[in-house]
Amino acid sequence: MKEKPRVLFVCTGNICRSPTAEGVLRHLAREAGVEVHVESAGTGGWHVGQPPDERAQHHAKGRGYDLSAQRARQVRARDFEDFDLIVAMDRGHLGSLQQHCPPQYRGRLRLLVEGRDVPDPYYGGPEGFERVLDMVEAGCRGLLHEIVKATS
């Protein structure tokens, strides 16, 4: 991994799970004094240019994470080369990324939580957003630990 690793989180529309993960990892890295470039994107382009879902922002803010400056974008072909880690929020996203990823970069793809999907909270209630935050915080803590270990 490069000195300042680059991490891209990916979900469906880039308005709930991946922007939450972007905000959480950015916050945890800043608190730990670790330099990392973090972005997020969606497998689809439905919400390009839009801020994260208001519910995602609300629940994240309740835990000290500010997602308000983020804007949705779609995964680009160049992302596979530009990012050291491309972190899918569920197995469907991982499969989509694997289909589009050039073979030499497939080792950069992974799930945030090994063997588990971070569930989509979009069509549910507040408890779904809180559950996502719980999983994302745990996953990002582990990811940050890996980054620190790889760059030391």
Side-chain angles (χ1 to χ4, degrees):
M1 218 176 281
K2 299 174 193 161
E3 210 171 289
K4 183 176 181 178
R6 296 175 56 86
V7 178
L8 178 69
F9 290 103
V10 177
C11 71
T12 307
N14 191 214
I15 60 167
C16 291
R17 293 171 284 178
S18 60
T20 297
E22 177 185 346
V24 169
L25 183 61
R26 184 175 285 129
H27 179 90
L28 293 175
R30 187 173 45 248
E31 278 189 337
V34 176
E35 286 192 45
V36 60
H37 177 88
V38 188
E39 291 183 31
S40 61
T43 57
W46 309 279
H47 302 287
V48 168
Q50 295 178 14
D53 182 280
E54 287 181 15
R55 298 164 298 168
Q57 288 191 61
H58 171 77
H59 289 276
K61 190 171 187 169
R63 296 195 191 189
Y65 310 114
D66 183 7
L67 313 182
S68 63
Q70 297 181 37
R71 295 297 176 264
R73 74 170 180 86
Q74 189 171 5
V75 173
R76 302 179 290 246
R78 184 158 182 89
D79 290 336
F80 296 107
E81 180 181 349
D82 288 347
F83 287 88
D84 301 299
L85 289 173
I86 301 175
V87 182
M89 303 310 283
D90 68 31
R91 287 171 274 217
H93 304 132
L94 183 60
S96 176
L97 290 166
Q98 288 168 332
Q99 284 183 325
H100 296 96
C101 184
Q104 68 268 31
Y105 301 123
R106 288 211 179 110
R108 298 176 179 193
L109 306 177
R110 63 177 281 180
L111 288 170
L112 177 61
V113 181
E114 188 175 340
R116 293 185 59 204
D117 292 342
V118 175
D120 189 350
Y122 189 78
Y123 294 105
E127 66 284 345
F129 289 90
E130 290 296 324
R131 181 170 180 223
V132 164
L133 275 160
D134 290 343
M135 293 180 79
V136 165
E137 285 176 334
C140 284
R141 282 187 190 101
L143 185 59
L144 185 60
H145 179 75
E146 289 176 36
I147 289 169
V148 167
K149 197 171 169 183
T151 56
S152 303

